[in-house]
Amino acid sequence: MKKWMFLPLMLAAFLACTGCGPQSAGVSVTGLRCEYLTNPLGIDAAKPRLSWVLESSDRGQTQKAYRILAASSAEKLAADTGDLWDSGKVDSDRSNQVGYDGAEPSAGTPVFWKVKVWDRNGKESAWSEAAFWSRGIAAADWQAEWIGPDTDSKPTVMPPAPFFRKSFTVDQPVRRAVLYLSARGLVEPSLNGERIGKDVFAPEWTDYTRRIQYRTYDVTPLIRQGGNALGIVLGDGWFSGYIGWRKERGHYGLRNSLIARLELESEDGSKTAVVSDGTWKFAEGPILFSDFMMGETYDARREMPGWNTPEFDDTAWKTASVVEPPAAPLVSQPAEPVQVHEEIAAKEITEPKPGVYVFNLGQNIAGWARIKVSGPAGTKVVLRFAERLNPDGTVYVTNLRAAKCIDTYILKGDSEEVWEPRFTFHGFQYVEMTGLPAKPGLDAVTGRVVYSSSPVTGSFECSNPMVNQLYSNICWGQRGNFLSVPTDCPQRDERLGWMGDAQIFIRTATYNRDVAAFFTKWMQDVEDAQSPEGAYADTSPRLKDLPQFEAVAGWGDAGIVVPWTVWRVYGDTRIIERHWASMERWMDMLLTDNPDLIRKNRLNNNYGDWLSTVPDAGWAEASARKIFLATAYWAYDAKLMSQMAKALGRAEDFAKYDALFQKIRDAYQKEFLKPDGHIEGESQTVYVLSLYFDLLPEDMRAKVAEYLIEDIKKNGNHLTTGFIGVRHLCPVLTQMGYPEVAYTLLNNDTYPSWGYSIKHGATTIWERWDGWTTEKGFQDPGMNSFNHYSLGSVGEWLFASVAGIDLDPEVPAFKKSVIRPMIGGGFTHAKGEFQSIYGKIASGWKLDGDALTMDVTIPVNTTATVYVPAAEGASVTESGKPAAKASGLKFVKQENGFAVYEAGSGNYSFASTVKK
Ligand code: BGC
């Protein structure tokens, strides 16, 4: 028989497999992760949580059971020997947040693991590929000293960065070499002249008085037989550099120091270690200073070629000082590291003044510039960074406030010199270069984009190019501000973990990227920053000596909103357990301060609906509107607490917080709500929060929604919301039956709107609606960032309503999702894709006249309620057949212009007719 004669048979077999009958193709297991990370090294958890993703071409496919094997070597695992753990066949559909329950691995040794599952037909899958994690190091096992340079820095003087080295000999074959490294300051490690890993700004920001992170690196490939040398450059960063607008350096201390342990495991399993101690040498090299806010000055003439190789002669180097160890414990960094992720070539170069060259990257970023220059030794190239240009084409830097953001490179005189700074970053689109003897080429500047390595999970695209640019700006806002902690902005003297911004944006952030590990780490910062009385700080980590910077409504409440969101999106109950006591302290404090259930006390900085266009009562003034906002948030906290209590199975706490919610709601209605549905201090935000937080009597909701619509109309079909109101505006309009009004706001390009900034060249989300206007030019430079993500919290609505991918209100982690696109706004198509913890969810629709097509993907082991836009009585098909009869689908009802189905996993192609 010829090959082609098999084809019909093969086709028949293929078709049999794509249905959900007994002939199903079964599932395969991929995407193994441990504590949300892929193959993490050095994690602290003894019993980490595991997850995997299932794939199948079947519809309605699920996991009935799983089996996990964990082994102490790759070989054992390959031979199916789970010497650390064999879970056995566990009858469960759990594929997320599965706790490892095997033998506790000893520090540093990897655990290799794999998973197989049984699908809904009882069919057994193949084993997944192997994955691994390794356990971090216990405090007692470091056996190393903290060392630093011998200089005593002064608050006002930014010191040169010391270069440390240690040479050592390896005389036996090494099976595994692992470096544990931490610092009070920032480190860039290298071994035998090669950089170790790609992390920048390690070990990243925590409150150094509470905990200090360490990183773990597998350096086995870099170890040589014979002479070796470890080199570490030590910078200032958050520990000793300038932070925020604080006038003095040294927020946590002035003497940088590091601790290192390089563990070498021989073939026979015996271990030796090279550790930081008083035998290490150091010298000051080319980095004359380097600071996040001020920039870096680098004198290439002072380079020390080969300084981190074994051959280097360090006899002239000084001996490191052993310094006091910190009181705070060392903890493994639980989140993905900050790294360089993208490079952007300059798009154009201008010369607004003779010898002043301005490079335009075409995109506002956080990071730095790598330069390629040439000139005589001693030539000083000065770089300044800006988000916008002045009318005369020069860089606009006044909005940087006290952050100088100047990088200086002093040439050594080579034919071509390529340089980038190590311990600073800037927020910019434009780079000004001065000091070169001749005009540089366009390739003299390359933008290096730096952020925490949370994996991309979302994409969004629609038929309105302006909205696509808005989505891009939202994503760039996240890139530029998720840098170790969620910051407000990356350019001026601030860059702080502002809580209000984070809680408003978190839900959008979870669509764009997998931020589970990022927020797991940050919630620890949030708890560390909490006052003994229970007040969450305005920024986490907390700035010291600022007593009024805590407990602010909408800011402090992040302490409740963030764990709740992580639970809802990722199904993580551990974050709730871990911070439960802290959240209770916050709730207790609010009640003690406000026994009459109106939150008017301890409002401190009281930012209100920050940067709303409604004239506000001014910073720190307690207007009715602000007391309303505070009380509304308190009620919301209570509601979220009740839901979290339920998730933990705490019945009493559920009852307690549910009752508290009702009581605050009653008090709120008495205090603010007028009989006709008008609300004290009214504004769009007041209406929106009342509706979203469920603070109104049922029969008043429609009325209040009408007032909201009136208010929008009164403002010429524009929004007036600030940071706090903006997040819930479009969701509330949609929920209350006014999606077209939400689309109007989205499509607007007149002030104030998202489109206005885009019309004027925004490539990120602006801090304020009027950061720049045609009438007034730049806003007050005291407060005018062009890269603040808060007003970009509309991204949540783009996914949840325009594309139509949302959480089921009752089921966390997208184990069940709601697919409900709201067509409108003149859009002819929209599409969203989101990699949930169970796998990819997609929803895309196209409109041709009144003919609608809609493609949906539901991940294996999950279900969805799918709302297909369809006029009453219209026929709805799926892959050309009546949808009600399609495999994997069950028709539920026709409701408000949607045909509603319960769907199992799989890909679906719907077609219907909508009412025009
Ligand atoms: C920050 C904000 C922050 C605010 C408090 C500002 O300086 O940049 O994003 O939330 O202060 O209102």
Side-chain angles (χ1 to χ4, degrees):
M1 229 176 5
K2 296 218 161 61
K3 250 192 196 156
W4 58 264
M5 295 174 84
F6 283 112
L7 274 178
L9 291 177
M10 284 159 65
L11 196 64
F14 170 72
L15 289 177
C17 287
T18 52
C20 57
Q23 292 279 345
S24 84
V27 296
S28 55
V29 188
T30 62
L32 274 59
R33 293 192 296 156
C34 169
E35 290 294 321
Y36 299 120
L37 306 171
T38 304
N39 298 333
L41 291 178
I43 59 170
D44 279 341
K47 304 256 168 160
R49 296 161 306 162
L50 309 173
S51 71
W52 54 89
V53 171
L54 302 175
E55 280 172 8
S56 173
S57 53
D58 298 345
R59 281 199 179 161
Q61 192 50 279
T62 55
Q63 170 189 302
K64 246 187 167 171
Y66 68 81
R67 181 175 169 207
I68 301 172
L69 279 191
S72 57
S73 74
E75 295 73 31
K76 282 188 186 139
L77 190 73
D80 294 347
T81 308
D83 61 333
L84 294 175
W85 189 37
D86 180 348
S87 71
K89 183 176 174 185
V90 182
D91 288 330
S92 164
D93 67 347
R94 239 177 180 213
S95 51
N96 169 33
Q97 315 282 340
V98 179
Y100 168 75
D101 202 16
E104 283 193 17
S106 55
T109 52
V111 177
F112 298 87
W113 65 291
K114 60 183 179 182
V115 185
K116 70 160 60 167
V117 303
W118 283 261
D119 73 8
R120 61 171 213 169
N121 302 313
K123 187 171 171 183
E124 189 173 338
S125 77
W127 284 110
S128 69
E129 302 264 301
F132 63 86
W133 80 84
S134 77
R135 180 100 189 268
I137 183 170
D141 294 339
W142 278 82
Q143 301 287 323
E145 313 262 24
W146 282 85
I147 59 171
D150 60 356
T151 47
D152 262 327
S153 174
K154 293 188 179 61
T156 47
V157 180
M158 291 181 288
F163 287 56
F164 289 85
R165 57 172 271 121
K166 170 72 187 174
S167 43
F168 58 96
T169 309
V170 170
D171 50 17
Q172 291 194 46
V174 170
R175 180 163 74 185
R176 188 161 38 232
V178 178
L179 174 68
Y180 300 98
L181 181 61
S182 181
R184 285 175 281 189
L186 309 176
V187 276
E188 187 188 285
S190 51
L191 187 59
N192 299 327
E194 293 218 30
R195 199 185 194 296
I196 297 172
K198 293 183 181 163
D199 299 358
V200 297
F201 309 152
E204 300 192 18
W205 196 3
T206 52
D207 179 340
Y208 292 81
T209 65
R210 304 299 298 271
R211 69 196 69 243
I212 304 178
Q213 300 187 132
Y214 68 88
R215 298 285 299 153
T216 304
Y217 301 100
D218 185 342
V219 293
T220 317
L222 300 179
I223 288 283
R224 296 182 196 161
Q225 286 301 300
N228 286 264
L230 197 55
I232 300 173
V233 193
L234 181 61
D236 290 357
W238 296 282
F239 179 76
S240 59
Y242 286 97
I243 289 198
W245 58 85
R246 308 288 281 170
K247 294 226 160 25
E248 297 226 313
R249 297 173 54 247
H251 197 65
Y252 301 99
L254 284 163
R255 289 199 72 181
N256 300 335
S257 55
L258 66 88
I259 185 167
R261 177 181 177 84
L262 173 59
E263 221 165 67
L264 306 167
E265 192 180 318
S266 312
E267 289 297 345
D268 64 4
S270 62
K271 283 186 183 170
T272 53
V274 177
V275 297
S276 49
D277 60 19
T279 66
W280 285 43
K281 296 287 206 67
F282 82 96
E284 284 165 4
I287 302 178
L288 300 185
F289 68 79
S290 190
D291 180 272
F292 283 154
M293 302 293 164
M294 301 304 161
E296 180 163 318
T297 291
Y298 187 97
D299 186 343
R301 296 168 304 181
R302 290 170 53 95
E303 282 174 355
M304 306 168 290
W307 70 276
N308 47 5
T309 60
E311 297 77 28
F312 186 79
D313 176 7
D314 63 13
T315 42
W317 282 37
K318 295 187 219 162
T319 304
S321 311
V322 172
V323 301
E324 271 294 296
L330 283 173
V331 298
S332 172
Q333 180 179 323
E336 297 91 348
V338 177
Q339 293 181 347
V340 173
H341 289 282
E342 275 136 277
E343 282 195 5
I344 301 194
K347 304 280 176 297
E348 63 168 343
I349 177 168
T350 54
E351 193 177 355
K353 284 183 183 169
V356 176
Y357 302 102
V358 176
F359 295 77
N360 180 1
L361 297 184
Q363 175 62 55
N364 198 6
I365 66 167
W368 56 75
R370 184 180 61 216
I371 58 168
K372 194 165 84 180
V373 289
S374 54
T379 306
K380 221 187 219 185
V381 175
V382 178
L383 307 172
R384 295 199 302 162
F385 299 85
E387 296 177 288
R388 307 275 296 185
L389 297 179
N390 290 310
D392 65 358
T394 56
V395 288
Y396 169 72
V397 290
T398 39
N399 67 333
L400 303 178
R401 307 196 308 214
K404 290 206 171 66
C405 305
I406 297 176
D407 289 349
T408 306
Y409 178 75
I410 303 167
L411 275 69
K412 58 189 166 197
D414 280 0
S415 58
E416 183 180 276
E417 300 180 35
V418 176
W419 174 80
E420 60 189 317
R422 277 197 178 89
F423 301 125
T424 190
F425 70 95
H426 319 291
F428 66 101
Q429 174 169 339
Y430 299 93
V431 183
E432 178 198 86
M433 186 184 269
T434 51
L436 274 183
K439 181 174 177 171
L442 201 54
D443 65 349
V445 163
T446 303
R448 300 267 281 164
V449 185
V450 175
Y451 50 88
S452 287
S453 312
S454 317
V456 174
T457 48
S459 65
F460 174 87
E461 200 268 323
C462 69
S463 56
N464 181 340
M466 193 269 281
V467 175
N468 292 335
Q469 183 65 46
L470 170 63
Y471 180 64
S472 169
N473 294 4
I474 293 169
C475 293
W476 276 101
Q478 184 163 346
R479 282 184 180 98
N481 284 297
F482 276 45
L483 198 149
S484 192
V485 306
T487 64
D488 54 336
C489 55
Q491 72 298 83
R492 68 175 177 231
D493 56 348
E494 201 140 0
R495 314 181 192 185
L496 300 169
W498 281 99
M499 300 268 283
D501 311 39
Q503 69 91 1
I504 279 300
F505 189 71
I506 182 172
R507 191 63 185 86
T508 296
T510 59
Y511 276 115
N512 295 334
R513 287 177 181 266
D514 175 359
V515 288
F518 181 84
F519 278 108
T520 300
K521 182 264 172 189
W522 190 61
M523 257 320 287
Q524 195 57 59
D525 298 333
V526 170
E527 184 167 340
D528 285 347
Q530 190 177 23
S531 80
E533 285 164 297
Y536 288 119
D538 293 5
T539 65
S540 299
R542 177 186 272 260
L543 290 186
K544 53 183 185 188
D545 314 324
L546 296 171
Q548 81 281 19
F549 278 69
E550 62 178 33
V552 171
W555 271 251
D557 305 278
I560 307 294
V561 177
V562 169
W564 178 83
T565 309
V566 172
W567 160 61
R568 287 282 294 143
V569 175
Y570 304 104
D572 189 337
T573 47
R574 193 189 60 185
I575 196 165
I576 309 177
E577 273 158 20
R578 196 175 263 178
H579 300 291
W580 184 259
S582 151
M583 293 191 282
E584 288 229 293
R585 283 201 296 283
W586 167 254
M587 296 304 290
D588 291 349
M589 183 201 76
L590 292 180
L591 192 57
T592 312
D593 285 343
N594 302 291
D596 61 359
L597 300 163
I598 297 298
R599 185 173 165 190
K600 51 179 180 280
N601 298 313
R602 206 197 290 257
L603 291 176
N604 292 331
N605 277 340
N606 201 356
Y607 308 115
D609 187 22
W610 188 242
L611 301 178
S612 139
T613 61
V614 175
D616 229 329
W619 195 10
E621 244 171 89
S623 63
R625 195 175 290 134
K626 286 180 169 182
I627 293 173
F628 159 84
L629 187 141
T631 308
Y633 256 93
W634 185 17
Y636 187 48
D637 289 350
K639 173 117 187 233
L640 303 190
M641 285 297 281
S642 75
Q643 293 179 6
M644 288 189 280
K646 200 164 164 193
L648 294 188
R650 292 168 173 264
E652 265 176 42
D653 288 323
F654 167 75
K656 170 174 144 188
Y657 288 111
D658 190 46
L660 178 64
F661 169 72
Q662 297 301 341
K663 280 193 272 174
I664 302 172
R665 191 175 186 260
D666 290 348
Y668 149 89
Q669 290 180 5
K670 251 193 233 133
E671 181 84 10
F672 302 108
L673 189 63
K674 297 176 189 156
D676 62 354
H678 280 285
I679 302 170
E680 192 66 42
E682 51 210 325
S683 68
Q684 291 177 16
T685 293
V686 167
Y687 298 131
V688 164
L689 295 192
S690 300
L691 288 161
Y692 194 88
F693 293 168
D694 188 20
L695 302 175
L696 298 163
E698 203 43 50
D699 59 1
M700 220 152 230
R701 291 176 62 83
K703 190 90 231 150
V704 170
E706 280 168 25
Y707 294 148
L708 169 63
I709 301 297
E710 265 172 34
D711 192 294
I712 291 171
K713 283 208 187 113
K714 194 177 79 199
N715 283 285
N717 285 324
H718 285 93
L719 49 73
T720 62
T721 48
F723 277 25
I724 296 292
V726 70
R727 173 186 168 191
H728 303 299
L729 181 58
C730 290
V732 161
L733 288 167
T734 307
Q735 189 194 8
M736 296 309 294
Y738 300 98
E740 271 310 323
V741 180
Y743 270 112
T744 301
L745 301 179
L746 182 71
N747 285 337
N748 274 345
D749 67 0
T750 43
Y751 172 81
S753 67
W754 295 282
Y756 186 74
S757 68
I758 291 166
K759 199 164 68 178
H760 295 292
T763 58
T764 36
I765 300 292
W766 292 357
E767 176 175 25
R768 11 186 8 144
W769 299 114
D770 60 351
W772 186 92
T773 58
T774 28
E775 296 76 27
K776 295 188 186 145
F778 289 116
Q779 245 284 6
D780 174 3
M783 190 83 200
N784 201 16
S785 140
F786 293 93
N787 195 356
H788 246 70
Y789 52 65
S790 295
L791 299 179
S793 59
V794 67
E796 173 185 356
W797 183 74
L798 296 181
F799 276 97
S801 290
V802 180
I805 300 173
D806 205 353
L807 284 155
D808 180 277
E810 298 299 324
V811 185
F814 294 90
K815 182 88 168 90
K816 182 169 188 195
S817 47
V818 174
I819 307 295
R820 191 176 206 258
M822 301 301 300
I823 56 176
F827 287 25
T828 51
H829 76 262
K831 177 173 183 175
E833 286 195 357
F834 167 62
Q835 188 71 27
S836 76
I837 199 131
Y838 290 100
K840 185 169 95 177
I841 307 177
S843 167
W845 55 269
K846 275 199 185 110
L847 205 54
D848 185 0
D850 59 2
L852 176 107
T853 51
M854 176 173 154
D855 292 330
V856 174
T857 301
I858 314 291
V860 176
N861 207 22
T862 75
T863 58
T865 310
V866 180
Y867 290 73
V868 181
E872 187 83 33
S875 92
V876 181
T877 62
E878 191 286 308
S879 298
K881 299 195 202 93
K885 293 199 181 137
S887 84
L889 288 183
K890 201 174 126 220
F891 177 73
V892 183
K893 59 183 168 184
Q894 174 78 31
E895 183 190 76
N896 299 334
F898 292 98
V900 186
Y901 302 85
E902 287 302 331
S905 70
N907 296 318
Y908 299 90
S909 291
F910 296 96
S912 74
T913 315
V914 296
K915 210 154 108 201
K916 282 301 266 182

